[in-house]
Amino acid sequence: MIIDIHGHYTTAPKQLETWRNAQVAAIGNPSAMPSAASLHISDDELRESIEANQLRLMRQRGSDVTVFSPRASFMAHHLGNFQVSSSWSAICNELCFRVSQLFPEHFIPAAMLPQSPGVDPATCIPELVKCVEQYGCVALNLNPDPSGGHWTSPPLTDRHWYPIYEKMVEYDIPGMIHVSSSCNACFHATGAHYINADTTAFMQCLQGDLFKDFPTLKFVIPHGGGAVPYHWGRYRGLAQELKKPLLQDHLMDNIFFDTCVYHQPGIDLLTKVIAVDNVLFASEMIGAVRGIDPETGFYFDDTRRYIDASALSEAHKQQIFEGNARRVYPRLDAALKGQGR
Amino acid sequence: MIIDIHGHYTTAPKQLETWRNAQVAAIGNPSAMPSAASLHISDDELRESIEANQLRLMRQRGSDVTVFSPRASFMAHHLGNFQVSSSWSAICNELCFRVSQLFPEHFIPAAMLPQSPGVDPATCIPELVKCVEQYGCVALNLNPDPSGGHWTSPPLTDRHWYPIYEKMVEYDIPGMIHVSSSCNACFHATGAHYINADTTAFMQCLQGDLFKDFPTLKFVIPHGGGAVPYHWGRYRGLAQELKKPLLQDHLMDNIFFDTCVYHQPGIDLLTKVIAVDNVLFASEMIGAVRGIDPETGFYFDDTRRYIDASALSEAHKQQIFEGNARRVYPRLDAALKGQGR
């Protein structure tokens, strides 16, 4: 089985974006704020948006199950206040849940949180509880920078974030550390902000001792871990300078990288440098890079090809495709087993 | 000959730091501000600080010439105002010039600029003119984020920066895009802010069309280009999404990466993915990562070993060690030729 642990609902029917635009336009003008009930998307529309896109490509590429969360760049936690994020998260999470009900063999949901800059993360707990207990979410996406490129929240190692971590540990769900769009002109969202956030999150964990407080907490750092595997010597050296344990002891029981690296040499480096236990298959399809690589004739984000072509053993490939996901996402494993898989 | 295009004066005699601390403490209190004349560092002290450190390691490792600029993490353009940065830059640049006079075969200077957040970069021109015309600087370090981790300046493609670029083109000197320390708790300086800035600078150039306005402008992106070579497929794909030319046509006449990547697999990826014309030897020694890699028994930042052990041909290695530096830094080449080298 091939499990893609990083897919977003980037292809939702148009009325979702229309509703969001109306919501954002109504910030500061409560009388114009659209109600959640005013958004109508039928099951047929959901089915069509998935069958023509993600599911079509999953079939082409041979992946079976996708951990499916709301579109990351649309989370935009920096827009409006907590109430705005709260309504928006509820809508987006419900859509991913509905997709998982329509395609139970292929999609299993992960939650976005109603984060808002300067607001206590504990306010996200009710949405998280609903998503896990009612929607069957097997993971969450945690935005380390709800300000959208201004980085006004404390580092992930700060007690600020502990309410979320306590719930993650209680539910035994991993968190993907994933920013959203950038409202800082310096940072292109998918070309700079995403990758920087991955690198930043890893270094924050390296500097701190978070996993002493939460030995079973699990972070998935997407986009191949940002710059980290490429600079693995730098990070091993910085850990040494900072008198931290070796990275495998300090961080690698708790941090995992996905395979959203869109060329063969990058995947070859990732799988050579990072222990196989810490690498999880993902494509972020349909996401930031949708084109066909003129050098190969295949989609940039068809990451299965790079794993298949890597020097890994078949057993290690299967671990990356399936085994690690079952271990790091126990609720995913339980759900699959509940389906006899 | 082996030319290291990225060395900082991280080992200056202690009185430099003492003077700087006094200067920073006097911000907002002009009567306590120390004069430049109150700092005394003798030639013998300079000699000792270099011979025991950078020059000792250059001899051990077999590199011949270092392009030598003030300590990057001490630039701290976010502290104080333009006048504070101006006095500090003048002192630091003069010290690198003096080192180059004391060791003319081994060190050639590059300038830091008296940048200050919110201040027109044109104010940096007088210091730059002095550094090139009087000190023989062959390059400059340009900080894309003088705010120190808050990213309040416009992207590098903005006309805001053009006064600097005009002077760089006039002098035919490259600019290393190099941030300084971070005053944002989210970003560890050398583990996150540096690498993020490298990635960000590349993506800013990718989004824009700067090199149409300045076809001969040259940027060196240090630390192996941040995350860029590891995610080269992503950047090729994003260029395609943004309807830009192929990266080699869009950017690679103007952008170069150094080899400050502190493990063999990273250098192997860099030299495999990036055309040999665009890779310049560097170690940033003595810099962020000073220890010995327990996996190899050699210094993490002994990057010569990784180039030597790479799959490159001897001709390509020599290009990375020397030829590219002479081409990208014409004033360095002229200075070496003036010495009969």
Side-chain angles (χ1 to χ4, degrees):
Chain A
M1 182 183 305
I2 296 188
I3 301 168
D4 184 332
I5 56 100
H6 187 180
H8 301 294
Y9 195 9
T10 51
T11 60
K14 192 70 184 173
Q15 52 268 49
L16 179 68
E17 188 175 353
T18 305
W19 188 94
R20 173 64 163 175
N21 290 343
Q23 188 201 32
V24 170
I27 289 171
N29 180 14
S31 66
M33 193 58 78
S35 70
S38 69
L39 174 65
H40 301 283
I41 300 179
S42 70
D43 283 355
D44 279 349
E45 288 172 310
L46 290 182
R47 252 187 228 105
E48 195 184 339
S49 74
I50 293 290
E51 270 176 352
N53 294 298
Q54 285 87 353
L55 193 55
R56 177 179 60 83
L57 290 170
M58 285 167 67
R59 285 179 172 136
Q60 269 181 21
R61 300 179 188 182
S63 68
D64 301 290
V65 179
T66 295
V67 177
F68 203 54
S69 61
R71 186 173 191 168
S73 66
F74 275 25
M75 297 191 299
H77 295 116
H78 57 278
L79 297 176
N81 57 16
F82 172 77
Q83 190 51 53
V84 168
S85 273
S86 187
S87 308
W88 178 234
S89 300
I91 284 173
C92 294
N93 284 326
E94 190 191 16
L95 287 179
C96 288
F97 166 62
R98 287 175 61 199
V99 167
S100 76
Q101 297 295 102
L102 293 170
F103 301 98
E105 288 186 18
H106 296 299
F107 294 93
I108 193 146
M112 72 175 269
L113 299 179
Q115 296 176 248
S116 193
V119 176
D120 183 349
T123 55
C124 298
I125 302 298
E127 180 69 20
L128 177 58
V129 167
K130 179 187 69 185
C131 286
V132 174
E133 299 194 358
Q134 296 176 38
Y135 292 169
C137 283
V138 299
L140 60 83
N141 293 338
L142 182 65
N143 184 346
D145 173 30
S147 76
H150 294 289
W151 292 91
T152 54
S153 293
L156 290 169
T157 48
D158 192 277
R159 300 189 71 85
H160 172 80
W161 302 99
Y162 278 23
I164 308 261
Y165 301 157
E166 285 159 7
K167 212 70 194 169
M168 288 167 64
V169 165
E170 179 192 328
Y171 283 137
D172 203 3
I173 55 172
M176 179 172 281
I177 308 302
H178 202 309
V179 288
S180 183
S181 55
S182 159
C183 60
N184 183 328
C186 286
F187 303 128
H188 184 273
T190 55
H193 191 41
Y194 280 24
I195 305 294
N196 292 350
D198 304 333
T199 309
T200 299
F202 185 85
M203 188 64 206
Q204 289 177 354
C205 294
L206 193 160
Q207 277 186 274
D209 289 299
L210 178 61
F211 304 117
K212 280 190 183 158
D213 281 358
F214 295 101
T216 62
L217 186 66
K218 286 172 285 186
F219 286 167
V220 177
I221 301 190
H223 320 110
V228 172
Y230 175 48
H231 286 286
W232 195 239
R234 187 178 195 86
Y235 291 101
R236 290 196 290 107
L238 285 171
Q240 191 168 296
E241 302 270 326
L242 294 169
K243 317 275 188 232
K244 299 293 183 186
L246 292 175
L247 290 182
Q248 63 258 39
D249 302 320
H250 183 43
L251 299 178
M252 300 313 279
D253 287 340
N254 306 87
I255 289 182
F256 305 86
F257 300 132
D258 80 10
T259 64
C260 294
V261 177
Y262 295 154
H263 64 153
Q264 189 69 48
I267 290 289
D268 290 343
L269 177 129
L270 172 67
T271 52
K272 180 169 190 174
V273 167
I274 304 300
V276 68
D277 283 349
N278 296 84
V279 179
L280 299 168
F281 177 69
S283 68
E284 204 170 7
M285 173 272 288
I286 297 169
V289 181
R290 302 182 178 200
I292 289 174
D293 185 345
E295 295 184 8
T296 66
F298 297 104
Y299 286 101
F300 282 107
D301 65 4
D302 186 357
T303 52
R304 181 184 169 175
R305 290 187 168 272
Y306 311 133
I307 305 290
D308 280 340
S310 74
L312 293 164
S313 69
E314 287 308 309
H316 281 173
K317 286 178 190 171
Q318 202 45 38
Q319 206 180 321
I320 288 173
F321 282 136
E322 178 183 359
N324 290 341
R326 288 183 183 266
R327 193 181 82 249
V328 176
Y329 294 67
R331 284 173 180 263
L332 168 64
D333 185 46
L336 293 172
K337 286 185 172 141
Q339 295 173 338
R341 296 198 282 178
Chain B
M1 184 184 305
I2 296 188
I3 301 168
D4 184 332
I5 56 100
H6 188 179
H8 301 295
Y9 195 9
T10 51
T11 59
K14 192 70 182 171
Q15 52 268 48
L16 179 68
E17 188 175 351
T18 305
W19 188 93
R20 173 64 163 174
N21 289 343
Q23 188 202 31
V24 170
I27 290 170
N29 180 14
S31 65
M33 193 58 79
S35 69
S38 69
L39 173 64
H40 300 284
I41 300 179
S42 69
D43 283 356
D44 279 350
E45 287 171 312
L46 290 182
R47 252 187 229 106
E48 196 184 339
S49 74
I50 293 290
E51 271 176 351
N53 294 298
Q54 285 85 354
L55 193 54
R56 177 179 60 84
L57 290 170
M58 287 167 67
R59 286 179 172 137
Q60 269 181 21
R61 301 179 187 182
S63 69
D64 300 291
V65 179
T66 296
V67 176
F68 203 55
S69 60
R71 185 172 191 168
S73 66
F74 274 26
M75 297 191 299
H77 294 118
H78 58 278
L79 297 176
N81 57 16
F82 173 76
Q83 191 50 53
V84 166
S85 272
S86 187
S87 308
W88 177 235
S89 300
I91 284 173
C92 293
N93 284 326
E94 190 191 15
L95 287 179
C96 288
F97 167 62
R98 287 174 62 198
V99 167
S100 76
Q101 296 295 102
L102 293 170
F103 301 98
E105 289 187 17
H106 296 299
F107 295 93
I108 193 145
M112 72 174 269
L113 298 179
Q115 296 176 248
S116 193
V119 176
D120 183 350
T123 55
C124 297
I125 303 297
E127 180 70 20
L128 176 58
V129 168
K130 180 187 70 185
C131 286
V132 174
E133 299 194 358
Q134 295 176 37
Y135 293 169
C137 283
V138 300
L140 60 82
N141 294 337
L142 181 65
N143 184 347
D145 173 29
S147 76
H150 294 289
W151 292 90
T152 55
S153 293
L156 290 169
T157 48
D158 192 276
R159 299 189 72 85
H160 172 79
W161 302 99
Y162 278 24
I164 307 262
Y165 301 157
E166 286 160 7
K167 212 70 195 167
M168 287 167 65
V169 165
E170 179 191 329
Y171 284 138
D172 203 3
I173 55 172
M176 179 172 281
I177 308 302
H178 203 309
V179 288
S180 184
S181 55
S182 157
C183 60
N184 183 328
C186 286
F187 303 128
H188 183 273
T190 55
H193 191 41
Y194 280 24
I195 304 295
N196 291 350
D198 304 333
T199 309
T200 300
F202 185 85
M203 188 64 206
Q204 289 176 354
C205 294
L206 193 159
Q207 277 187 274
D209 289 299
L210 179 61
F211 304 117
K212 280 191 182 157
D213 281 358
F214 295 101
T216 62
L217 186 65
K218 287 172 285 185
F219 285 168
V220 177
I221 301 191
H223 321 109
V228 172
Y230 175 49
H231 286 285
W232 196 239
R234 187 178 196 86
Y235 291 100
R236 289 195 291 107
L238 285 170
Q240 192 168 294
E241 302 272 326
L242 295 169
K243 317 276 187 231
K244 298 295 182 184
L246 292 175
L247 290 182
Q248 63 259 39
D249 302 321
H250 183 42
L251 299 178
M252 300 313 278
D253 286 341
N254 305 88
I255 289 183
F256 305 86
F257 300 132
D258 80 10
T259 64
C260 294
V261 177
Y262 296 154
H263 63 152
Q264 189 69 48
I267 290 289
D268 289 344
L269 177 129
L270 172 68
T271 53
K272 180 168 191 175
V273 167
I274 304 300
V276 67
D277 283 350
N278 295 84
V279 179
L280 299 168
F281 176 69
S283 68
E284 205 171 7
M285 172 272 289
I286 295 170
V289 181
R290 303 183 177 198
I292 289 175
D293 185 345
E295 294 184 8
T296 66
F298 298 103
Y299 286 100
F300 282 106
D301 67 4
D302 187 356
T303 53
R304 181 185 169 176
R305 290 188 169 271
Y306 310 134
I307 305 290
D308 281 340
S310 73
L312 293 164
S313 70
E314 287 308 309
H316 281 172
K317 287 179 189 171
Q318 201 47 36
Q319 207 180 320
I320 288 173
F321 283 137
E322 177 183 358
N324 290 342
R326 288 182 183 267
R327 193 181 83 249
V328 176
Y329 294 67
R331 285 173 179 261
L332 168 64
D333 185 47
L336 293 172
K337 286 185 173 141
Q339 295 173 339
R341 296 198 280 179

